[in-house]
Amino acid sequence: MLTARRSSRSWTSDQIESLKINFADWPTYLVAFVCGHSYSATAAKAAQLGLKKSAEFLQGPSSGRLDGKRGSACRFQKGHGTWNKGTKGVTGTHPNCRRTQFRKGDRRGAASRNYVPIGTTRITRDGMLERKITDDPEIYPARRWVAVSRLVWEAQYGVIPSGHAVVFKKGMATTDEACITTDALELVSRAELMRRNSYHTRYPKEVGRLIQLKGALNRKINARSKKA
């Protein structure tokens, strides 16, 4: 296919005159070559000037329309009936096809590889034993697992009140399911849980001071990095 010999941002009067004379009866790429513009620039300029292809050109082989209607003979016509109309599932019914088809409830990809049944237990990164309690697809995957300690407590005392949490008593934390009993657990408020997890209460006074200093140092380093 010919390409434009040169490209310019503006059209000269000679180029425009050549476009007007030749566009109707020549392929656009050839007009573009003669005018020295790209195909898209030539087509855009022709549209701007209101130029159209002639009926003779559109009926001829140079237009690319074998029947003068750009492939209309190969299109479905209104009212056309397809060969498989009304036959549900006519394709893919062979046993060899059915063997590899997805079925309702099937899991795909990673979901299939990582699937474990309800009742399975796992140990989290925080060292907490959890049990899978549902396969409900509308529940976020992490929410399908519940701490065994919570399940044990609720089985004995019912739903945990809002603003409270079940925790192990000091020195009784474990991932051994047989040892997770109500005797090893206690119900505390979230405020109390936060206080217990504070470094002021978890570590000696000297260690707590070091943690504070480390945090202050990190903040200064981050501030300097942002200014650099």
Side-chain angles (χ1 to χ4, degrees):
M1 178 177 178
L2 296 175
T3 56
R5 293 172 293 181
R6 61 187 177 86
S7 177
S8 59
R9 293 183 178 180
S10 60
W11 287 71
T12 66
S13 57
D14 289 341
Q15 290 172 341
I16 294 176
E17 186 64 23
S18 179
L19 177 64
K20 290 179 177 179
I21 293 173
N22 299 311
F23 185 80
D25 299 308
W26 287 14
T28 303
Y29 74 87
L30 188 56
V31 179
F33 177 77
V34 171
C35 292
H37 284 270
S38 67
Y39 181 97
S40 57
T42 302
K45 190 65 174 179
Q48 181 185 1
L49 296 173
L51 303 179
K52 303 288 186 180
K53 295 297 185 185
S54 66
E56 293 76 9
F57 175 82
L58 293 176
Q59 293 293 335
S62 296
S63 68
R65 304 182 179 190
L66 300 181
D67 62 353
K69 298 181 181 179
R70 197 180 291 275
S72 62
C74 300
R75 300 172 189 166
F76 285 117
Q77 303 301 318
K78 186 176 181 179
H80 173 78
T82 58
W83 66 272
N84 60 346
K85 183 178 180 180
T87 54
K88 183 178 179 180
V90 74
T91 59
T93 57
H94 190 279
N96 290 340
C97 293
R98 298 288 294 172
R99 191 158 41 244
T100 57
Q101 291 173 356
F102 284 111
R103 296 172 179 78
K104 186 176 181 180
D106 283 355
R107 295 175 176 80
R108 308 182 182 187
S112 176
R113 295 191 298 271
N114 299 331
Y115 177 76
V116 293
I118 295 174
T120 302
T121 57
R122 69 179 183 184
I123 299 176
T124 67
R125 294 179 180 178
D126 298 328
M128 180 78 69
L129 184 68
E130 292 183 333
R131 177 180 291 123
K132 186 176 182 181
I133 62 170
T134 181
D135 273 332
D136 190 343
E138 296 184 1
I139 298 178
Y140 188 71
R143 295 292 183 183
R144 299 172 194 170
W145 299 76
V146 177
V148 172
S149 56
R150 178 177 183 138
L151 294 174
V152 169
W153 183 273
E154 290 186 332
Q156 180 70 28
Y157 300 110
V159 178
I160 297 173
S162 176
H164 290 72
V166 172
V167 298
F168 285 99
K169 294 178 180 178
K170 188 174 182 179
M172 302 189 73
T174 180
T175 56
D176 183 350
E177 187 170 359
C179 297
I180 302 178
T181 64
T182 53
D183 294 335
L185 304 172
E186 60 179 334
L187 184 69
V188 299
S189 66
R190 292 287 180 182
E192 171 62 15
L193 182 60
M194 183 181 296
R195 189 191 68 80
R196 292 186 184 186
N197 290 331
S198 171
Y199 65 81
H200 293 292
T201 57
R202 293 176 60 191
Y203 302 105
K205 185 176 180 179
E206 294 78 9
V207 176
R209 180 57 180 163
L210 288 174
I211 293 175
Q212 281 184 317
L213 291 174
K214 180 181 178 182
L217 179 61
N218 286 336
R219 286 191 292 273
K220 287 185 176 294
I221 292 174
N222 292 335
R224 286 179 177 273
S225 299
K226 290 180 180 179
K227 292 180 179 180

